[in-house]
Amino acid sequence: MSETSLPFNDRVFPGKALKEEWEKSIKKPQEFWAEKAKAIDWFRTWDKVLDDSNPPFYKWFKGGVLNISYNALDRHLETPRKNALAYIWEGENGEVRTFTYYQLYREVNKLAKVFKNVGLKKGDRVAVYLPMIPELPITLLATARLGGVHMVVFSGFSAEALADRINDCEAKILVTSDGAYRRGKIVTLKDTADRALAATPTVEKVVVVKRTGQTVPMKEGRDVYYHDALAKVEANAFVPPEPMEATEPLFILYTSGTTGKPKGVQHGVGGYLVWGYWTLKWGFNPNDKDIWWCTADVGWITGHTYNVYAPLAMGITSLIFEGTPDYPAQDRWWEIIERHGVTILYTTPTAIRMFRKFGEEWINKHDISSLRLLGTVGEPINPEAWKWYYRVIGKEKLAIIDTWWQTETGGFMIAPLPGIELVPLKPGSATNPLPSIQAEVYDEKGQPTPTGTKGFLVIKTPWPGMMETLWKDPERYKQTYFGRWPNIYYTGDYAVKDPDGYFWLLGRADEVLKVAGHRIGTVELESALVSHPSVSEAAVMGKEDPVKGEVPVAFVTLRNGFSPSEELRADLIKHIRNTIGPIATPDAIIIVNKLPKTRSGKIMRRLLKAVLVGAALGDVSTLEDEASVEDIKATYEELKRQLEKK
Ligand code: WT7
């Protein structure tokens, strides 16, 4: 299917309006954003739209004062949206809870009162370890109302990962739940939290949401049940929204990088909100009649921006779902879409590939004609998956909004923008940069690559949604993102630009894997492996996977006194689940006698990868500079033999 055969490509314009808007944003950024920021309620107008006097520490809307919970809630109370639904939540067990904007406002105020009563102050950190239940966005909003800084840890991370993050940001409060449902089974979240809490001296209070209802240990003086605490404050409690400087921190979200230590990406209040609002408007243009379903967990940036702040600031209705796509049956999502009348579905390539595998019959059982727009995020979408999404879910009528962005960027960066003008789509391309985004593809030397040549995706100028810094580590922020080419934002992604100027995203260019859209650092996995008493050395790499995009595979060598066995392999997997979390579980652990090394002693990853994917040795001829050809050949054959034996 060529792009011109997509029916809606006859109905779209060639990009004139988009170009005009983009050019306006580049030529006059201050005026452009001063105008856009009017969509947000400010307690005090900014002095300067962009203070770029100390790059790369950019300050957007400097001097402006606002509160994000006020923008998400209070301001709608004077409008007809007061009694409209902010959230429709569906539990894994089929339970449904709804919140109007007014109901959400009351709940958030009560929790904010609880936080206030236990001494939470502006700037204090609140750690959040919750499943996808309404209390998750409520906790974020209550924290932000008081000027606190939230730090959410996805519930698929381990006790050790949770403790590390809590300690890095010195959180004062932890909000968690007794348990979580996963495929009908109860996951004991509080037990995991307790194991983390044994090593987190800064946490003074633990608020426990009752979700599954089983008895869990509660530590006297430290732990309180959410519903008990809320019952103790007035039903109409009101906590004034704390006036926040636009540049003060709103949240920290840890994400994997190229070292063993996750990075605490810090976002501020003002620029982040303006960017979230406008990117959602441009990308999906939701209105009062829409039911917006972004399937991401609030444990990730996608959930922060597009399940909490942007949709609430716009006053639209969002659906949030606790469960997994195939429980109790493989049509769960389509059944939900039909029952709630979902109009916009924003999900991941992994989910799309999984549904494709399940088969079309599951979708065809349902009337999903309420859908009017589709979106995707998190990893490159292969043209086959794109076309399947377009044909089977979109019935060859709906546009697909492929949004490229990152935890660090706060919101969409490259995407089709029907909210301005829908350009012709090409299956697999995220199309063009958003207004204000000057994206380019660089070669190794920092020169723009010729059209059609792969290189590193960079962003040349600041934008409102960009992170402010890495938590308490400005030097690492500068080094990681602006160190390669001064004042140029390095994304860590490969990309290529086609003759129409469209961007095609080609995956990570660094030691980061995208496993089912989740970001996992290979170095983190390697550190976890070598922390096991049996492991001497480890090399982790991604292997292509038809559903998850890629999966981690680990090569390890053992210390003296240990020998390979199924038990040991299982133990290593358990060890990774305990140190990082179930989401990082390797697909295979390959125990070898020796890892191939270069002359200078570095592990030859490319050779390992070639062995792994069964590439012919000819393909690894580029390794010649790393070792002698004979050595490479011999190692390759030896590893292949070892692999075949398994
Ligand atoms: C990395 C960022 C963006 C929110 C969820 C992930 C990859 C993301 C796309 C896309 C190709 C994509 C990139 C990026 N990625 N969206 N539409 N096409 N690749 O956020 O965990 O910070 O990961 O996800 O490699 O660098 P994240």
Side-chain angles (χ1 to χ4, degrees), residues 125-132 136-137 139-141 143 149-155 157 161-162 165-166 169 171 174-175 250-255 265 297-301 303-304 308-309:
R125 274 79 64 206
V126 175
V128 188
Y129 188 59
L130 283 171
M132 267 294 270
L136 179 43
T139 301
L140 270 48
L141 293 161
T143 304
V149 178
H150 54 74
M151 190 282 290
V152 184
V153 178
F154 174 62
S155 59
F157 278 111
L162 175 61
R165 286 158 177 76
I166 290 177
C169 74
L174 170 69
V175 182
L250 170 67
F251 66 83
I252 306 163
L253 193 56
Y254 287 86
T255 188
V265 170
D297 192 291
V298 173
W300 309 107
I301 188 72
H304 279 56
V308 185
Y309 295 115

mmCIF file of all heavy atoms in Angstrom, residues 125-132 136-137 139-141 143 149-155 157 161-162 165-166 169 171 174-175 250-255 265 297-301 303-304 308-309:
data_model
loop_
_atom_site.group_PDB
_atom_site.id
_atom_site.type_symbol
_atom_site.label_atom_id
_atom_site.label_comp_id
_atom_site.label_asym_id
_atom_site.label_seq_id
_atom_site.Cartn_x
_atom_site.Cartn_y
_atom_site.Cartn_z
ATOM 1 N N ARG A 125 8.942 15.547 48.371
ATOM 2 C CA ARG A 125 8.668 14.496 47.387
ATOM 3 C C ARG A 125 7.702 13.441 47.908
ATOM 4 O O ARG A 125 7.793 13.016 49.062
ATOM 5 C CB ARG A 125 9.969 13.810 46.947
ATOM 6 C CG ARG A 125 10.649 14.541 45.798
ATOM 7 C CD ARG A 125 11.416 15.772 46.235
ATOM 8 N NE ARG A 125 12.522 15.442 47.108
ATOM 9 C CZ ARG A 125 13.030 16.273 48.008
ATOM 10 N NH1 ARG A 125 12.533 17.485 48.154
ATOM 11 N NH2 ARG A 125 14.041 15.898 48.768
ATOM 12 N N VAL A 126 6.801 13.032 47.023
ATOM 13 C CA VAL A 126 5.837 11.980 47.333
ATOM 14 C C VAL A 126 6.077 10.827 46.357
ATOM 15 O O VAL A 126 5.968 11.002 45.142
ATOM 16 C CB VAL A 126 4.387 12.493 47.189
ATOM 17 C CG1 VAL A 126 3.385 11.365 47.390
ATOM 18 C CG2 VAL A 126 4.127 13.638 48.165
ATOM 19 N N ALA A 127 6.436 9.663 46.898
ATOM 20 C CA ALA A 127 6.639 8.499 46.036
ATOM 21 C C ALA A 127 5.305 7.782 45.857
ATOM 22 O O ALA A 127 4.490 7.725 46.786
ATOM 23 C CB ALA A 127 7.664 7.561 46.669
ATOM 24 N N VAL A 128 5.074 7.270 44.660
ATOM 25 C CA VAL A 128 3.790 6.649 44.346
ATOM 26 C C VAL A 128 4.046 5.283 43.717
ATOM 27 O O VAL A 128 4.786 5.179 42.729
ATOM 28 C CB VAL A 128 2.978 7.538 43.369
ATOM 29 C CG1 VAL A 128 1.569 6.988 43.197
ATOM 30 C CG2 VAL A 128 2.931 8.986 43.847
ATOM 31 N N TYR A 129 3.456 4.248 44.309
ATOM 32 C CA TYR A 129 3.654 2.882 43.830
ATOM 33 C C TYR A 129 2.284 2.227 43.840
ATOM 34 O O TYR A 129 1.883 1.602 44.817
ATOM 35 C CB TYR A 129 4.638 2.186 44.782
ATOM 36 C CG TYR A 129 5.130 0.824 44.370
ATOM 37 C CD1 TYR A 129 5.816 0.638 43.174
ATOM 38 C CD2 TYR A 129 4.943 -0.278 45.206
ATOM 39 C CE1 TYR A 129 6.288 -0.619 42.819
ATOM 40 C CE2 TYR A 129 5.417 -1.537 44.857
ATOM 41 C CZ TYR A 129 6.088 -1.702 43.655
ATOM 42 O OH TYR A 129 6.555 -2.937 43.311
ATOM 43 N N LEU A 130 1.550 2.451 42.775
ATOM 44 C CA LEU A 130 0.140 2.054 42.715
ATOM 45 C C LEU A 130 -0.195 1.391 41.394
ATOM 46 O O LEU A 130 0.407 1.708 40.369
ATOM 47 C CB LEU A 130 -0.754 3.298 42.842
ATOM 48 C CG LEU A 130 -0.965 3.947 44.208
ATOM 49 C CD1 LEU A 130 -1.695 5.269 44.052
ATOM 50 C CD2 LEU A 130 -1.726 3.016 45.150
ATOM 51 N N PRO A 131 -1.194 0.511 41.396
ATOM 52 C CA PRO A 131 -1.702 0.004 40.113
ATOM 53 C C PRO A 131 -2.553 1.089 39.446
ATOM 54 O O PRO A 131 -2.747 2.171 40.001
ATOM 55 C CB PRO A 131 -2.556 -1.192 40.532
ATOM 56 C CG PRO A 131 -2.951 -0.942 41.948
ATOM 57 C CD PRO A 131 -1.897 -0.067 42.554
ATOM 58 N N MET A 132 -3.093 0.785 38.263
ATOM 59 C CA MET A 132 -3.900 1.769 37.532
ATOM 60 C C MET A 132 -5.307 1.886 38.115
ATOM 61 O O MET A 132 -6.273 1.337 37.580
ATOM 62 C CB MET A 132 -3.980 1.359 36.055
ATOM 63 C CG MET A 132 -2.909 2.010 35.217
ATOM 64 S SD MET A 132 -3.079 3.804 35.094
ATOM 65 C CE MET A 132 -4.120 3.907 33.647
ATOM 66 N N LEU A 136 -4.477 6.765 41.703
ATOM 67 C CA LEU A 136 -3.165 7.121 41.143
ATOM 68 C C LEU A 136 -3.184 8.564 40.613
ATOM 69 O O LEU A 136 -2.419 9.409 41.114
ATOM 70 C CB LEU A 136 -2.773 6.082 40.082
ATOM 71 C CG LEU A 136 -1.465 6.203 39.317
ATOM 72 C CD1 LEU A 136 -0.283 6.574 40.186
ATOM 73 C CD2 LEU A 136 -1.155 4.902 38.580
ATOM 74 N N PRO A 137 -4.054 8.915 39.650
ATOM 75 C CA PRO A 137 -4.112 10.336 39.278
ATOM 76 C C PRO A 137 -4.500 11.244 40.438
ATOM 77 O O PRO A 137 -3.993 12.365 40.547
ATOM 78 C CB PRO A 137 -5.169 10.384 38.167
ATOM 79 C CG PRO A 137 -5.782 9.038 38.080
ATOM 80 C CD PRO A 137 -4.859 8.074 38.748
ATOM 81 N N THR A 139 -3.653 10.980 43.544
ATOM 82 C CA THR A 139 -2.449 11.246 44.335
ATOM 83 C C THR A 139 -1.567 12.291 43.654
ATOM 84 O O THR A 139 -1.015 13.184 44.307
ATOM 85 C CB THR A 139 -1.655 9.936 44.542
ATOM 86 O OG1 THR A 139 -2.493 9.006 45.218
ATOM 87 C CG2 THR A 139 -0.399 10.171 45.351
ATOM 88 N N LEU A 140 -1.446 12.185 42.345
ATOM 89 C CA LEU A 140 -0.617 13.156 41.620
ATOM 90 C C LEU A 140 -1.187 14.559 41.780
ATOM 91 O O LEU A 140 -0.469 15.520 42.066
ATOM 92 C CB LEU A 140 -0.557 12.783 40.126
ATOM 93 C CG LEU A 140 0.584 11.856 39.696
ATOM 94 C CD1 LEU A 140 0.741 10.651 40.587
ATOM 95 C CD2 LEU A 140 0.455 11.440 38.256
ATOM 96 N N LEU A 141 -2.496 14.666 41.606
ATOM 97 C CA LEU A 141 -3.139 15.980 41.671
ATOM 98 C C LEU A 141 -3.088 16.568 43.083
ATOM 99 O O LEU A 141 -2.886 17.772 43.259
ATOM 100 C CB LEU A 141 -4.590 15.866 41.193
ATOM 101 C CG LEU A 141 -4.737 15.538 39.694
ATOM 102 C CD1 LEU A 141 -6.127 14.983 39.395
ATOM 103 C CD2 LEU A 141 -4.459 16.776 38.841
ATOM 104 N N THR A 143 -0.804 15.955 45.357
ATOM 105 C CA THR A 143 0.579 16.356 45.597
ATOM 106 C C THR A 143 0.844 17.700 44.939
ATOM 107 O O THR A 143 1.371 18.632 45.563
ATOM 108 C CB THR A 143 1.543 15.287 45.021
ATOM 109 O OG1 THR A 143 1.228 14.024 45.606
ATOM 110 C CG2 THR A 143 2.991 15.636 45.310
ATOM 111 N N VAL A 149 6.301 17.357 44.979
ATOM 112 C CA VAL A 149 6.899 16.815 43.755
ATOM 113 C C VAL A 149 6.626 15.317 43.743
ATOM 114 O O VAL A 149 7.069 14.605 44.643
ATOM 115 C CB VAL A 149 8.426 17.054 43.761
ATOM 116 C CG1 VAL A 149 9.080 16.458 42.520
ATOM 117 C CG2 VAL A 149 8.727 18.547 43.879
ATOM 118 N N HIS A 150 5.855 14.829 42.751
ATOM 119 C CA HIS A 150 5.593 13.395 42.780
ATOM 120 C C HIS A 150 6.632 12.600 42.000
ATOM 121 O O HIS A 150 7.274 13.110 41.071
ATOM 122 C CB HIS A 150 4.172 13.036 42.352
ATOM 123 C CG HIS A 150 3.722 13.566 41.031
ATOM 124 N ND1 HIS A 150 4.164 13.059 39.845
ATOM 125 C CD2 HIS A 150 2.844 14.554 40.723
ATOM 126 C CE1 HIS A 150 3.563 13.717 38.858
ATOM 127 N NE2 HIS A 150 2.767 14.639 39.354
ATOM 128 N N MET A 151 6.798 11.365 42.428
ATOM 129 C CA MET A 151 7.766 10.470 41.804
ATOM 130 C C MET A 151 7.087 9.107 41.732
ATOM 131 O O MET A 151 6.965 8.398 42.724
ATOM 132 C CB MET A 151 9.025 10.424 42.671
ATOM 133 C CG MET A 151 10.217 9.733 42.063
ATOM 134 S SD MET A 151 10.135 7.948 42.122
ATOM 135 C CE MET A 151 10.354 7.626 43.857
ATOM 136 N N VAL A 152 6.569 8.777 40.558
ATOM 137 C CA VAL A 152 5.824 7.536 40.403
ATOM 138 C C VAL A 152 6.773 6.420 39.984
ATOM 139 O O VAL A 152 7.620 6.604 39.107
ATOM 140 C CB VAL A 152 4.708 7.680 39.337
ATOM 141 C CG1 VAL A 152 3.874 6.405 39.258
ATOM 142 C CG2 VAL A 152 3.807 8.879 39.643
ATOM 143 N N VAL A 153 6.631 5.271 40.619
ATOM 144 C CA VAL A 153 7.376 4.080 40.218
ATOM 145 C C VAL A 153 6.346 3.074 39.695
ATOM 146 O O VAL A 153 5.417 2.709 40.416
ATOM 147 C CB VAL A 153 8.169 3.483 41.398
ATOM 148 C CG1 VAL A 153 8.895 2.209 40.975
ATOM 149 C CG2 VAL A 153 9.158 4.509 41.942
ATOM 150 N N PHE A 154 6.494 2.677 38.452
ATOM 151 C CA PHE A 154 5.577 1.716 37.827
ATOM 152 C C PHE A 154 5.490 0.458 38.693
ATOM 153 O O PHE A 154 6.503 -0.016 39.216
ATOM 154 C CB PHE A 154 6.094 1.389 36.421
ATOM 155 C CG PHE A 154 5.317 0.310 35.719
ATOM 156 C CD1 PHE A 154 3.978 0.476 35.418
ATOM 157 C CD2 PHE A 154 5.930 -0.880 35.347
ATOM 158 C CE1 PHE A 154 3.260 -0.520 34.768
ATOM 159 C CE2 PHE A 154 5.226 -1.872 34.691
ATOM 160 C CZ PHE A 154 3.883 -1.692 34.414
ATOM 161 N N SER A 155 4.282 -0.082 38.828
ATOM 162 C CA SER A 155 4.085 -1.195 39.766
ATOM 163 C C SER A 155 4.754 -2.497 39.319
ATOM 164 O O SER A 155 4.761 -3.467 40.065
ATOM 165 C CB SER A 155 2.593 -1.413 40.025
ATOM 166 O OG SER A 155 1.931 -1.683 38.804
ATOM 167 N N PHE A 157 7.963 -2.625 38.874
ATOM 168 C CA PHE A 157 9.338 -2.563 39.359
ATOM 169 C C PHE A 157 9.448 -3.247 40.720
ATOM 170 O O PHE A 157 8.470 -3.344 41.469
ATOM 171 C CB PHE A 157 9.805 -1.107 39.481
ATOM 172 C CG PHE A 157 10.275 -0.518 38.181
ATOM 173 C CD1 PHE A 157 9.543 0.471 37.544
ATOM 174 C CD2 PHE A 157 11.448 -0.956 37.589
ATOM 175 C CE1 PHE A 157 9.969 1.019 36.339
ATOM 176 C CE2 PHE A 157 11.887 -0.418 36.393
ATOM 177 C CZ PHE A 157 11.148 0.570 35.763
ATOM 178 N N ALA A 161 14.327 -1.576 43.213
ATOM 179 C CA ALA A 161 14.212 -0.431 42.311
ATOM 180 C C ALA A 161 13.419 0.693 42.973
ATOM 181 O O ALA A 161 13.766 1.879 42.858
ATOM 182 C CB ALA A 161 13.544 -0.853 41.006
ATOM 183 N N LEU A 162 12.365 0.311 43.680
ATOM 184 C CA LEU A 162 11.542 1.309 44.381
ATOM 185 C C LEU A 162 12.372 2.019 45.451
ATOM 186 O O LEU A 162 12.374 3.250 45.539
ATOM 187 C CB LEU A 162 10.310 0.619 44.993
ATOM 188 C CG LEU A 162 9.385 1.462 45.876
ATOM 189 C CD1 LEU A 162 8.780 2.625 45.088
ATOM 190 C CD2 LEU A 162 8.249 0.605 46.458
ATOM 191 N N ARG A 165 14.944 4.513 44.044
ATOM 192 C CA ARG A 165 14.330 5.754 43.566
ATOM 193 C C ARG A 165 13.867 6.627 44.722
ATOM 194 O O ARG A 165 14.029 7.841 44.705
ATOM 195 C CB ARG A 165 13.180 5.422 42.604
ATOM 196 C CG ARG A 165 13.702 4.936 41.245
ATOM 197 C CD ARG A 165 12.667 4.121 40.496
ATOM 198 N NE ARG A 165 13.097 3.708 39.161
ATOM 199 C CZ ARG A 165 13.954 2.729 38.899
ATOM 200 N NH1 ARG A 165 14.504 2.041 39.888
ATOM 201 N NH2 ARG A 165 14.284 2.430 37.650
ATOM 202 N N ILE A 166 13.271 6.002 45.730
ATOM 203 C CA ILE A 166 12.828 6.767 46.908
ATOM 204 C C ILE A 166 14.036 7.436 47.566
ATOM 205 O O ILE A 166 13.992 8.605 47.931
ATOM 206 C CB ILE A 166 12.110 5.848 47.928
ATOM 207 C CG1 ILE A 166 10.750 5.412 47.365
ATOM 208 C CG2 ILE A 166 11.947 6.538 49.269
ATOM 209 C CD1 ILE A 166 9.979 4.445 48.264
ATOM 210 N N CYS A 169 15.563 10.490 45.612
ATOM 211 C CA CYS A 169 14.837 11.768 45.693
ATOM 212 C C CYS A 169 14.388 12.088 47.116
ATOM 213 O O CYS A 169 13.755 13.106 47.356
ATOM 214 C CB CYS A 169 13.660 11.792 44.719
ATOM 215 S SG CYS A 169 12.255 10.794 45.236
ATOM 216 N N ALA A 171 12.095 10.825 49.317
ATOM 217 C CA ALA A 171 10.657 11.029 49.462
ATOM 218 C C ALA A 171 10.226 10.939 50.925
ATOM 219 O O ALA A 171 10.781 10.172 51.705
ATOM 220 C CB ALA A 171 9.901 9.996 48.636
ATOM 221 N N LEU A 174 4.985 7.795 51.009
ATOM 222 C CA LEU A 174 4.781 6.805 49.950
ATOM 223 C C LEU A 174 3.294 6.478 49.899
ATOM 224 O O LEU A 174 2.676 6.246 50.938
ATOM 225 C CB LEU A 174 5.585 5.523 50.229
ATOM 226 C CG LEU A 174 5.252 4.335 49.298
ATOM 227 C CD1 LEU A 174 5.725 4.597 47.871
ATOM 228 C CD2 LEU A 174 5.875 3.036 49.811
ATOM 229 N N VAL A 175 2.739 6.499 48.695
ATOM 230 C CA VAL A 175 1.350 6.061 48.529
ATOM 231 C C VAL A 175 1.382 4.746 47.758
ATOM 232 O O VAL A 175 1.975 4.666 46.677
ATOM 233 C CB VAL A 175 0.506 7.115 47.774
ATOM 234 C CG1 VAL A 175 -0.945 6.644 47.672
ATOM 235 C CG2 VAL A 175 0.581 8.469 48.479
ATOM 236 N N LEU A 250 7.526 19.840 39.174
ATOM 237 C CA LEU A 250 6.224 19.197 39.333
ATOM 238 C C LEU A 250 6.420 17.715 39.654
ATOM 239 O O LEU A 250 5.758 17.158 40.504
ATOM 240 C CB LEU A 250 5.412 19.341 38.048
ATOM 241 C CG LEU A 250 4.120 18.518 37.944
ATOM 242 C CD1 LEU A 250 3.081 19.007 38.953
ATOM 243 C CD2 LEU A 250 3.547 18.580 36.532
ATOM 244 N N PHE A 251 7.337 17.096 38.913
ATOM 245 C CA PHE A 251 7.582 15.676 39.194
ATOM 246 C C PHE A 251 8.965 15.238 38.745
ATOM 247 O O PHE A 251 9.651 15.922 37.981
ATOM 248 C CB PHE A 251 6.517 14.782 38.551
ATOM 249 C CG PHE A 251 6.486 14.749 37.040
ATOM 250 C CD1 PHE A 251 7.330 13.920 36.315
ATOM 251 C CD2 PHE A 251 5.580 15.537 36.338
ATOM 252 C CE1 PHE A 251 7.280 13.872 34.925
ATOM 253 C CE2 PHE A 251 5.515 15.497 34.948
ATOM 254 C CZ PHE A 251 6.369 14.667 34.238
ATOM 255 N N ILE A 252 9.330 14.071 39.285
ATOM 256 C CA ILE A 252 10.549 13.380 38.877
ATOM 257 C C ILE A 252 10.073 12.032 38.354
ATOM 258 O O ILE A 252 9.186 11.417 38.954
ATOM 259 C CB ILE A 252 11.491 13.126 40.075
ATOM 260 C CG1 ILE A 252 11.775 14.429 40.820
ATOM 261 C CG2 ILE A 252 12.780 12.449 39.632
ATOM 262 C CD1 ILE A 252 12.344 14.198 42.219
ATOM 263 N N LEU A 253 10.628 11.606 37.256
ATOM 264 C CA LEU A 253 10.290 10.282 36.738
ATOM 265 C C LEU A 253 11.598 9.635 36.306
ATOM 266 O O LEU A 253 12.324 10.193 35.478
ATOM 267 C CB LEU A 253 9.321 10.421 35.562
ATOM 268 C CG LEU A 253 8.620 9.154 35.087
ATOM 269 C CD1 LEU A 253 7.865 8.456 36.196
ATOM 270 C CD2 LEU A 253 7.647 9.495 33.950
ATOM 271 N N TYR A 254 11.892 8.492 36.904
ATOM 272 C CA TYR A 254 13.166 7.837 36.602
ATOM 273 C C TYR A 254 13.057 7.055 35.305
ATOM 274 O O TYR A 254 12.045 6.397 35.049
ATOM 275 C CB TYR A 254 13.591 6.928 37.762
ATOM 276 C CG TYR A 254 14.073 7.751 38.933
ATOM 277 C CD1 TYR A 254 13.176 8.237 39.880
ATOM 278 C CD2 TYR A 254 15.409 8.108 39.043
ATOM 279 C CE1 TYR A 254 13.597 9.045 40.931
ATOM 280 C CE2 TYR A 254 15.851 8.914 40.086
ATOM 281 C CZ TYR A 254 14.943 9.379 41.026
ATOM 282 O OH TYR A 254 15.374 10.183 42.043
ATOM 283 N N THR A 255 14.100 7.148 34.498
ATOM 284 C CA THR A 255 14.107 6.410 33.242
ATOM 285 C C THR A 255 15.510 5.885 32.992
ATOM 286 O O THR A 255 16.481 6.392 33.540
ATOM 287 C CB THR A 255 13.605 7.291 32.073
ATOM 288 O OG1 THR A 255 13.450 6.483 30.918
ATOM 289 C CG2 THR A 255 14.554 8.428 31.757
ATOM 290 N N VAL A 265 14.472 12.226 35.648
ATOM 291 C CA VAL A 265 14.051 13.316 34.757
ATOM 292 C C VAL A 265 13.107 14.249 35.519
ATOM 293 O O VAL A 265 12.105 13.808 36.079
ATOM 294 C CB VAL A 265 13.357 12.743 33.498
ATOM 295 C CG1 VAL A 265 12.702 13.849 32.680
ATOM 296 C CG2 VAL A 265 14.364 11.965 32.655
ATOM 297 N N ASP A 297 -0.020 3.161 31.330
ATOM 298 C CA ASP A 297 -0.086 3.214 32.787
ATOM 299 C C ASP A 297 0.473 4.570 33.228
ATOM 300 O O ASP A 297 1.418 5.087 32.626
ATOM 301 C CB ASP A 297 0.773 2.079 33.362
ATOM 302 C CG ASP A 297 0.551 1.872 34.850
ATOM 303 O OD1 ASP A 297 0.948 2.752 35.662
ATOM 304 O OD2 ASP A 297 0.002 0.825 35.221
ATOM 305 N N VAL A 298 -0.109 5.120 34.281
ATOM 306 C CA VAL A 298 0.370 6.419 34.785
ATOM 307 C C VAL A 298 1.795 6.293 35.357
ATOM 308 O O VAL A 298 2.467 7.285 35.613
ATOM 309 C CB VAL A 298 -0.645 7.030 35.784
ATOM 310 C CG1 VAL A 298 -0.119 8.287 36.457
ATOM 311 C CG2 VAL A 298 -1.957 7.357 35.067
ATOM 312 N N GLY A 299 2.279 5.080 35.491
ATOM 313 C CA GLY A 299 3.661 4.857 35.908
ATOM 314 C C GLY A 299 4.686 5.322 34.891
ATOM 315 O O GLY A 299 5.884 5.369 35.190
ATOM 316 N N TRP A 300 4.254 5.641 33.686
ATOM 317 C CA TRP A 300 5.165 6.112 32.645
ATOM 318 C C TRP A 300 4.815 7.543 32.242
ATOM 319 O O TRP A 300 3.724 8.028 32.546
ATOM 320 C CB TRP A 300 5.087 5.217 31.401
ATOM 321 C CG TRP A 300 5.227 3.760 31.709
ATOM 322 C CD1 TRP A 300 4.232 2.831 31.688
ATOM 323 C CD2 TRP A 300 6.427 3.058 32.091
ATOM 324 N NE1 TRP A 300 4.735 1.601 32.028
ATOM 325 C CE2 TRP A 300 6.073 1.709 32.284
ATOM 326 C CE3 TRP A 300 7.756 3.447 32.286
ATOM 327 C CZ2 TRP A 300 7.006 0.742 32.658
ATOM 328 C CZ3 TRP A 300 8.677 2.478 32.664
ATOM 329 C CH2 TRP A 300 8.303 1.149 32.846
ATOM 330 N N ILE A 301 5.702 8.180 31.495
ATOM 331 C CA ILE A 301 5.462 9.576 31.103
ATOM 332 C C ILE A 301 4.181 9.715 30.280
ATOM 333 O O ILE A 301 3.450 10.698 30.415
ATOM 334 C CB ILE A 301 6.669 10.162 30.316
ATOM 335 C CG1 ILE A 301 6.511 11.666 30.071
ATOM 336 C CG2 ILE A 301 6.864 9.458 28.992
ATOM 337 C CD1 ILE A 301 6.678 12.545 31.246
ATOM 338 N N GLY A 303 1.410 8.260 30.561
ATOM 339 C CA GLY A 303 0.291 8.375 31.490
ATOM 340 C C GLY A 303 0.284 9.707 32.223
ATOM 341 O O GLY A 303 -0.769 10.301 32.445
ATOM 342 N N HIS A 304 1.456 10.194 32.623
ATOM 343 C CA HIS A 304 1.524 11.496 33.308
ATOM 344 C C HIS A 304 0.916 12.586 32.425
ATOM 345 O O HIS A 304 0.063 13.342 32.841
ATOM 346 C CB HIS A 304 2.979 11.883 33.584
ATOM 347 C CG HIS A 304 3.592 11.242 34.791
ATOM 348 N ND1 HIS A 304 3.647 9.889 34.977
ATOM 349 C CD2 HIS A 304 4.203 11.785 35.878
ATOM 350 C CE1 HIS A 304 4.277 9.631 36.130
ATOM 351 N NE2 HIS A 304 4.613 10.768 36.692
ATOM 352 N N VAL A 308 -3.271 12.278 32.674
ATOM 353 C CA VAL A 308 -3.531 13.157 33.813
ATOM 354 C C VAL A 308 -3.566 14.627 33.360
ATOM 355 O O VAL A 308 -4.641 15.199 33.170
ATOM 356 C CB VAL A 308 -2.512 12.937 34.962
ATOM 357 C CG1 VAL A 308 -2.897 13.774 36.184
ATOM 358 C CG2 VAL A 308 -2.447 11.456 35.351
ATOM 359 N N TYR A 309 -2.418 15.224 33.153
ATOM 360 C CA TYR A 309 -2.394 16.683 33.049
ATOM 361 C C TYR A 309 -3.015 17.274 31.787
ATOM 362 O O TYR A 309 -3.826 18.197 31.881
ATOM 363 C CB TYR A 309 -0.972 17.194 33.278
ATOM 364 C CG TYR A 309 -0.523 16.912 34.697
ATOM 365 C CD1 TYR A 309 0.530 16.045 34.978
ATOM 366 C CD2 TYR A 309 -1.215 17.462 35.770
ATOM 367 C CE1 TYR A 309 0.902 15.765 36.288
ATOM 368 C CE2 TYR A 309 -0.853 17.187 37.083
ATOM 369 C CZ TYR A 309 0.209 16.345 37.338
ATOM 370 O OH TYR A 309 0.560 16.068 38.634
#
